[in-house]
DNA sequence: CATGAATGAGCTTTCATTCAT
DNA sequence: CATGAATGAAAGCTCATTCAT
């Protein structure tokens, strides 16, 4: 019973991602998402309180899964350097391989109300903190400069990667995103290394 | 006549910035902007074809003035390093001293349709190119690493600064933004220097 | 089996009265009544054809019981005067002692569709007829004026009492309703007496 | 300009009365009223803040005009008895001659939310107070009993007349309402006279 | 008999844009 | 040039009712 509910919940999220990717944020009416999910409009409201909640859940779900992947991948690494490389690798590869998701997270979901963006911010936070931990680890390992401000640095790193992805999307994906990993990580390591 | 037209044009832009800063993007109806500007609703449409055009013009105007400041300030510098420091300094200082503008550019204007965001992208482009030129100049001066990819690097630098500003705003401006200039530029210079 | 059916029927009516008194007519969804009654939504429809039928039955049941009380009480009286006094006494006392019922009958149930109000009218009819009988009895006893029109008079009397109850409720029940019995009956007897 | 605004305001009220009389309260969508008034849906909201406001204004306007008629007619009377007769005469005649209005005020407008009914109550208050004044005048003139409670009496009189009108409507108007004036006023005067 | 998940019709309100004055 | 009254399309959400289990 719970699993059937969970199942339909996922179906609606999948439908929402597809509809948003195809029609854009403002062209994604509840009725369109319902149709794509193969349920009635009213059914949506058995699983989500408001339309916004679909988007928040969508972001939480997708980003949550990404952060899980980050965490488990990092545990296979020894140094902060390796961890940072892994993070950038997954970040770029994952979004390159899932253009719908990239479009939704980088473009569409940012066109939302301030309340929604705050909720989305909460989903991003674990990722930003993950980056901060890596920076701190690097400092402890003496591979990163001790005078680094981890709070500032995490934003510099996240912002840089985020913008690279967005500009890649807006350019029309004319080049490989994953091909930027090495240069990007080089940039970071040069900036961070002691 | 043209100057009178120009005058009213600016009045509407000023009104738009004020209204958006006060009411947020979604609370900024044409009628509200008209009222703030002291003109009738219909008058807006003598100066702008669509509502979006107000926002595009607003961004173009404000960012254009910023880029002008960047350009003239940079001409007072000798090295790419100095230029980059100047750019970051102006970027952070200007937005710290003009919170309305910061709020409008970092938060409100991003909640807009894809068409609008593309138009805004065009306004940002000269700034991104400015950063690229500085990187190229640094390479020519042999102060920056020759293997740097200027196209990628400009996004890394812009994205990093952009995210620092946004997170400063969202944090509630609890710390000084301009105080982050040195650490930020250090990060960049370490990343870039040969 | 029939008694079990009857039992659940009553449970639903009790639940309906409670829910309406607590949430008002427009806040009383079928699902809320079902929950209060401790049954599933669909179960309601095994006992009532439409939502309206719950309300009609509720009114019939409650008013039927009141009319029963009227009838048995009147049989203990000798004259039409005494009967009329008894009717007013029960009318006011009963509603004063059962504010939920008063609220539901005087305020909430009147906010209903025309069909429902007609059905409710049928429930009130026996009560109106009771009043008519008393008037006729008084005329026969020569205590009431022979020129009285019983059909008109029953409405004058019912309408007067009904409005007194409603205004007492709307006033916030700041005074005693039963304390109005004597003055009200005096008014009627003066109007009726030969 | 103000008169044009007033004119359209009245047009919408007239349309609302007609639509409600024809379709009932629940069948009277804003779009239907707008169509009947010959304006666009949105235009309604230039004159009324919410749909409910149409109904409140309708009641205020119609009842206000009635109370005006009451007041001026009463000034032509000398005694409280004459005044009371006049009130009942106008009350019954006016509604008999304007069945749409009768239907709307007695049946349809009562099926409304509690907030709306409170607002309507405010419109009825001047009328109820008018009745109270007549009662007080009668007491001063020594034609009415001094022990009468004017606050209670006004409700007895209003409630009686109100119910007579409603039952006349529900009966399908099979008899003359104005023909009930004499018997009704006789009832009141007998009840009131000293 | 009972359940409760699913349905989907239905309606108010906003606001960018127009155009007669 | 300027006005601002009028337009009307568009969409989120509720809830009575059904029916497969």
């Amino acid at each position: 019973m719970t699993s059937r509910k969970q199942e339909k919940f996922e179906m609606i999220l999948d439908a929402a991602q597809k509809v948003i990717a195809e029609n854009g944020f403002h062209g994604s009416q509840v009725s369109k998402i319902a149709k794509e999910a193969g349920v009635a409009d009213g059914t949506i409201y058995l699983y989500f309180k408001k339309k916004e909640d679909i988007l928040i859940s969508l972001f939480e779900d997708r980003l949550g899964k990404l952060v899980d992947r980050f965490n488990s991948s990092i545990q296979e690494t020894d140094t902060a350097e390796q961890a940072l490389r892994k993070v950038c690798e997954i970040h770029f590869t994952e979004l390159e391989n899932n253009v719908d998701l990239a479009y939704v997270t980088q473009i569409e979901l940012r066109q939302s109300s301030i309340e929604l963006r705050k909720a989305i911010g909460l989903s991003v936070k674990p990722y930003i903190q993950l980056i901060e931990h890596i920076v701190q680890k690097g400092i402890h390992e003496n591979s990163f400069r001790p005078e680094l401000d981890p709070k500032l640095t995490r934003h510099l790193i996240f912002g840089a990667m985020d913008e690279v992805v967005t500009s890649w999307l807006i350019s029309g994906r004319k080049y490989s995103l994953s091909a930027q990993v090495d240069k990007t990580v080089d940039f970071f390591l040069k900036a961070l290394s002691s």
Side-chain angles (χ1 to χ4, degrees), chain A:
Chain A
M1 214 157 81
T2 301
S3 74
R4 271 191 72 176
K5 197 146 193 170
Q6 188 61 28
E7 211 175 292
K8 204 161 263 185
F9 182 89
E10 303 265 12
M11 274 176 63
I12 296 173
L13 286 193
D14 288 344
Q17 177 173 329
K18 193 175 170 197
V19 169
I20 292 175
E22 279 174 4
N23 304 279
F25 180 73
H26 286 110
S28 298
Q29 296 83 350
V30 170
S31 60
K32 223 176 252 174
I33 295 172
K35 200 172 185 180
E36 174 70 34
V39 298
D41 291 18
T43 304
I44 299 279
Y45 291 88
L46 297 175
Y47 295 87
F48 302 90
K49 210 174 176 191
K50 305 172 55 186
K51 185 189 181 187
E52 246 181 25
D53 289 352
I54 310 175
L55 305 175
I56 292 173
S57 297
L58 179 58
F59 211 91
E60 274 174 356
D61 185 82
R62 298 305 187 255
L63 210 56
K65 285 174 181 165
L66 262 189
V67 172
D68 287 349
R69 285 213 46 197
F70 282 131
N71 279 323
S72 53
S73 293
I74 285 170
Q75 286 177 330
E76 298 165 10
T77 63
D78 294 322
T79 65
E81 280 190 31
Q82 286 170 2
L84 188 61
R85 184 171 304 276
K86 202 80 199 167
V87 161
C88 186
E89 213 173 279
I90 297 174
H91 190 140
F92 284 8
T93 311
E94 202 68 32
L95 293 178
E96 183 165 41
N97 292 337
N98 196 341
V99 177
D100 268 11
L101 179 60
Y103 212 74
V104 169
T105 57
Q106 302 299 121
I107 310 283
E108 299 300 341
L109 242 36
R110 314 227 169 166
Q111 313 172 24
S112 48
S113 71
I114 191 70
E115 291 84 31
L116 180 45
R117 295 197 67 198
K118 276 181 184 160
I120 288 174
L122 288 180
S123 297
V124 180
K125 199 158 196 186
Y127 182 39
I128 304 246
Q129 286 173 330
L130 178 81
I131 296 173
E132 184 183 347
H133 290 321
I134 294 174
V135 172
Q136 285 170 329
K137 193 185 176 209
I139 296 174
H140 286 306
E141 290 171 356
N142 289 322
S143 55
F144 291 175
R145 293 185 284 130
E147 72 270 25
L148 284 170
D149 175 346
K151 299 262 183 241
L152 173 65
T153 308
R154 66 182 186 180
H155 288 302
L156 292 169
I157 292 174
F158 174 79
M161 290 192 297
D162 189 61
E163 174 68 18
V164 168
V165 176
T166 299
S167 60
W168 164 76
L169 270 180
I170 287 180
S171 80
R173 312 196 305 279
K174 291 188 185 140
Y175 50 92
S176 163
L177 180 58
S178 51
Q180 315 302 316
V181 171
D182 284 344
K183 286 178 285 183
T184 301
V185 176
D186 277 358
F187 183 90
F188 293 153
L189 291 183
K190 286 267 192 296
L192 299 167
S193 295
S194 52

